[in-house]
Amino acid sequence: MRMKHALIPTLRDVPAEAQIPSHQLLLKAGYIQKVTAGMYTYLPLGKRVLAKVEQIIREEMDAADGQEILMPITQPAELWEESGRWDAYGAEMFRVVDRHGREFCLGPTHEEVVTDVCRQFIKSYKQVPLRLYQIQNKYRDERRPRFGLMRGREFVMKDLYSFDIDEAGLDQAYQDMYQAYNKIFSRCGLTFRPVLADSGQIGGGYTHEFMVLAENGEGTIAYCDSCDYAANIEIAEAKPEACEDKHDAAAVEKIVTPNIATIEDICKFLDDTPQNSIKSVLMRADDELIMVLVRGDREVNDVKVQHVHPCLNIEMADEDFIVEKIGAHPGSLGPVGLKDIPIYADLELENRTGLACGANEDGYHFIHVDMARDLPEVTYHDLRMLNEGEKCPVCSGTIQTARGIEVGQVFKLGTKYSEALGATVLNEEGKATVLQMGCYGIGVSRVLSATVEQHHDDKGIIWPKTLAPYHASLIVVNIKDEAQMAAGEKLYAELQQAGFDILFDDRKERAGVKFNDADLIGLPVRIVCGKKISDGIVEYKYRDSDEVLEVSVDEVVDKIKDFYQD
Ligand code: ATP
Ligand code: MG
């Protein structure tokens, strides 16, 4: 492609809302354009990278017996009513109405539609295993679309669905996809880690997320420094840590605690440690109120709470709401004497005595609280966040944490959708059997963001060679210099002939502008026809190195061939 004619609108400044490098650089280097919140146009460079990612995914999905299909984006409400998700999916779903008043959604995912395909055509065990996939736009009206392609409201996803006659078949599909994902993300040049993950609020399932390690990731991974254990922090098991109990048998006492609103304040006031206080958190679980208790020095893990108290949405109650409901501020909450609100406590509080907690009245606390004696109705579960430096739940190693970007997820659905939609087949004995399903997603467009997060410097993007939109930048320093221009044209033709996609900078621009743009755009190789062309020499440089090599014009094609053959 001649840059003279290319739509590559590189920017001098990026909008302030672009906070992280991938968002900034994809805008700045002219890969994407924002249309509205969470919706982007992929400009020519962006589209080319997207196509590279898609191609890698296609190859690996096909190699794992996937068959590509294309389902409609627009899906009828009736299908979602069959699965019970039309109401459950909530505000993230984009809903539309046709001229007859019929309701549809723009697909946020395709379990219903693909199960409908199977129930119509798959009748016998002989027709499975079946693995169907597509690469297509998905629609989710995210609460906080941000970070460019990272969290869009319209984004490109690869979704594969597996259908098997039994759990052994599903296990195989899961393993095959797990391996295919390892290959895909390796081929994309990413440093990533599969981690155990949350299987959703309403039980069931088994799942791993593939996390690209990056500072700006929205997720946190807990992993062990000595064994294979790695999990999303949302589900990472937190074993109770031993702590010295007071064995305090005194009766509960209400004491005056003026202006005390935090665990730190109460500890100071009582000259005690946070291990001897209860952190009481009031949460809204859909339309219900619940209280969650953890040790004073711990944090509540919402996802774990949702597993114990199944609900679609969970959040901490806000201050105004707490004052209205309880008559006290959040810092004065406590479980003692609380009526009609289910209370769940973390395992670390079980059998503890001599604890302090709020009295649901500003300016007062209870002390000498004995969990078993004073709060007999409370149930105990793992409800807290695991912290860096704690013991691994599996071995005796130490837990480390890292930030990550979820680029893919593999999930055993079991019979959730096949049962609801009646996707049954006859087994070998001629008996109707519900199909076992799995679903496997990759955030194709998010891979672009994740890659740039991992591969950039202060000058721009540094594409891994498998994803670069072109193989090399070819720059003519001075287009008015006939020898330089002729050599550039010749190389451009030869490189294309040899099968390379070249971005040929033949613009009437200053050399500095051309070099800066090349660094910003981030192609793996830069070839420059400059003054030394009179000696038959061009400059040859890799984007990830500072070394500028002088190479004979005749050797360029072989050199780039070697590089891309590796
Ligand atoms: P998240 O927790 O990030 O919202 P998810 O669990 O909802 O993701 P899945 O339903 O498993 O995502 O979708 C499969 C893949 O699609 C994810 O692993 C992720 O890479 C990508 N993805 C999900 N939501 C978005 C989005 N809003 N923008 C871009 N990619 C997304
Ligand atoms: Mg999501």
Side-chain angles (χ1 to χ4, degrees):
M1 183 75 215
R2 288 172 192 275
M3 268 184 98
K4 207 161 55 183
H5 302 139
L7 178 64
I8 305 177
T10 55
L11 307 176
R12 196 160 293 183
D13 302 304
V14 285
E17 66 167 29
Q19 292 161 1
I20 63 169
S22 58
H23 189 188
Q24 292 165 346
L25 290 171
L26 288 169
L27 285 170
K28 198 167 179 209
Y31 282 78
I32 57 172
Q33 181 218 5
K34 178 175 167 181
V35 177
T36 184
M39 298 186 181
Y40 288 82
T41 291
Y42 300 89
L43 297 170
L45 287 180
K47 180 68 176 71
R48 289 181 77 93
V49 181
L50 203 61
K52 291 256 167 118
V53 179
E54 288 178 7
Q55 188 53 27
I56 290 173
I57 293 174
R58 260 193 196 98
E59 285 170 17
E60 297 301 339
M61 289 298 104
D62 292 349
D65 288 337
Q67 301 178 62
E68 188 168 359
I69 59 172
L70 190 57
M71 293 178 270
I73 284 169
T74 319
Q75 309 181 11
E78 294 81 39
L79 267 181
W80 286 72
E81 271 152 10
E82 281 190 67
S83 70
R85 287 209 291 184
W86 183 252
D87 293 324
Y89 211 91
E92 251 188 41
M93 188 184 253
F94 276 104
R95 295 165 205 257
V96 288
V97 179
D98 75 3
R99 65 171 76 199
H100 307 294
R102 266 185 77 191
E103 289 186 292
F104 297 82
C105 68
L106 302 182
T109 178
H110 277 71
E111 282 81 10
E112 283 80 0
V113 181
V114 79
T115 308
D116 184 51
V117 172
C118 275
R119 72 176 167 189
Q120 185 160 2
F121 298 116
I122 306 302
K123 303 288 181 198
S124 151
Y125 72 95
K126 292 179 196 152
Q127 293 171 279
V128 295
L130 183 69
R131 298 170 182 180
L132 299 175
Y133 77 96
Q134 62 172 355
I135 297 177
Q136 186 199 49
N137 285 4
K138 291 281 187 282
Y139 296 81
R140 295 183 185 178
D141 197 359
E142 298 274 357
R143 188 195 296 262
R144 291 184 69 197
R146 58 180 188 155
F147 297 161
L149 303 182
M150 192 91 93
R151 184 164 299 281
R153 297 197 297 162
E154 173 178 292
F155 58 98
V156 184
M157 195 202 283
K158 182 284 302 180
D159 42 330
L160 183 143
Y161 304 89
S162 66
F163 297 87
D164 283 275
I165 191 74
D166 54 19
E167 282 179 39
L170 173 56
D171 286 349
Q172 188 61 52
Y174 191 87
Q175 267 181 41
D176 289 352
M177 283 301 127
Y178 188 98
Q179 273 163 18
Y181 276 33
N182 275 315
K183 286 190 197 148
I184 288 166
F185 299 124
S186 301
R187 286 180 64 185
C188 289
L190 292 165
T191 305
F192 64 96
R193 189 151 191 171
V195 305
L196 280 168
D198 177 38
S199 61
Q201 307 87 350
I202 326 272
Y206 177 72
T207 177
H208 283 87
E209 287 165 351
F210 284 74
M211 303 288 261
V212 166
L213 304 180
E215 226 171 280
N216 290 313
E218 293 180 292
T220 302
I221 303 163
Y223 63 95
C224 176
D225 67 0
S226 60
C227 77
D228 277 349
Y229 182 77
N232 189 313
I233 197 81
E234 293 175 339
I235 61 141
E237 186 185 348
K239 291 238 164 90
E241 184 191 71
C243 102
E244 211 163 303
D245 190 77
K246 291 180 178 168
H247 303 294
D248 173 1
V252 174
E253 187 186 334
K254 187 169 169 181
I255 56 166
V256 182
T257 51
N259 300 320
I260 287 191
T262 64
I263 296 280
E264 202 185 333
D265 292 347
I266 189 73
C267 287
K268 229 181 244 162
F269 185 82
L270 297 173
D271 190 22
D272 206 342
T273 63
Q275 281 98 319
N276 291 326
S277 65
I278 301 172
K279 186 182 281 181
S280 313
V281 181
L282 200 64
M283 306 192 83
R284 296 170 81 148
D286 296 338
D287 298 330
E288 226 183 322
L289 266 186
I290 61 173
M291 183 174 271
V292 180
L293 312 177
V294 293
R295 218 168 70 181
D297 57 337
R298 302 302 196 191
E299 298 301 325
V300 172
N301 179 322
D302 296 9
V303 170
K304 290 180 178 177
V305 175
Q306 253 176 319
H307 281 267
V308 172
H309 187 97
C311 58
L312 295 170
N313 281 301
I314 190 147
E315 56 188 7
M316 255 162 72
D318 57 62
E319 181 156 347
D320 291 349
F321 182 84
I322 292 173
V323 172
E324 187 197 313
K325 277 276 178 222
I326 310 285
H329 284 83
S332 303
L333 293 178
V336 177
L338 194 71
K339 296 239 160 51
D340 303 326
I341 293 180
I343 304 174
Y344 302 98
D346 182 68
L347 294 169
E348 284 184 333
L349 291 173
E350 198 163 13
N351 299 320
R352 294 292 313 280
T353 69
L355 303 173
C357 67
N360 297 324
E361 200 178 330
D362 288 342
Y364 294 91
H365 276 74
F366 287 120
I367 54 172
H368 307 302
V369 175
D370 177 323
M371 294 299 293
R373 179 192 67 194
D374 304 321
L375 297 162
E377 70 287 2
V378 167
T379 57
Y380 296 88
H381 318 267
D382 171 12
L383 297 176
R384 70 178 180 94
M385 299 297 285
L386 181 63
N387 299 301
E388 186 157 70
E390 284 193 61
K391 261 226 173 89
C392 168
V394 177
C395 75
S396 58
T398 305
I399 287 296
Q400 308 288 324
T401 59
R403 306 288 293 173
I405 301 166
E406 180 198 325
V407 287
Q409 185 161 20
V410 291
F411 201 111
K412 286 188 191 175
L413 293 167
T415 57
K416 185 171 171 187
Y417 297 94
S418 39
E419 180 127 37
L421 276 82
T424 53
V425 299
L426 296 179
N427 69 8
E428 255 175 287
E429 284 91 49
K431 226 178 94 195
T433 308
V434 181
L435 286 169
Q436 291 282 340
M437 282 176 68
C439 68
Y440 315 86
I442 291 182
V444 183
S445 44
R446 187 181 280 182
V447 167
L448 270 62
S449 297
T451 307
V452 178
E453 277 307 313
Q454 268 189 358
H455 300 275
H456 70 270
D457 62 14
D458 53 1
K459 295 189 195 126
I461 304 172
I462 307 175
W463 287 110
K465 55 183 159 187
T466 47
L467 300 190
Y470 289 90
H471 293 108
S473 282
L474 174 62
I475 296 176
V476 174
V477 173
N478 178 4
I479 59 166
K480 289 197 188 118
D481 181 311
E482 272 173 34
Q484 285 183 28
M485 198 58 201
E489 289 286 357
K490 185 155 175 276
L491 267 179
Y492 182 47
E494 283 173 6
L495 285 163
Q496 288 185 97
Q497 197 112 63
F500 294 102
D501 295 326
I502 303 298
L503 196 56
F504 182 31
D505 198 343
D506 56 350
R507 292 176 302 167
K508 198 174 139 198
E509 285 284 359
R510 282 182 297 116
V513 171
K514 295 184 186 182
F515 286 111
N516 287 345
D517 280 351
D519 281 343
L520 183 60
I521 290 165
L523 306 182
V525 179
R526 188 188 80 188
I527 303 157
V528 178
C529 300
K531 283 198 181 114
K532 290 214 169 154
I533 206 68
S534 48
D535 306 324
I537 300 282
V538 298
E539 280 182 6
Y540 186 101
K541 181 182 165 299
Y542 296 112
R543 177 64 182 84
D544 63 359
S545 146
D546 286 332
E547 196 186 355
V548 179
L549 309 170
E550 294 198 337
V551 172
S552 149
V553 194
D554 310 327
E555 285 168 19
V556 170
V557 173
D558 283 342
K559 196 157 176 68
I560 198 169
K561 268 188 190 159
D562 280 351
F563 175 70
Y564 277 102
Q565 247 152 34
D566 268 359

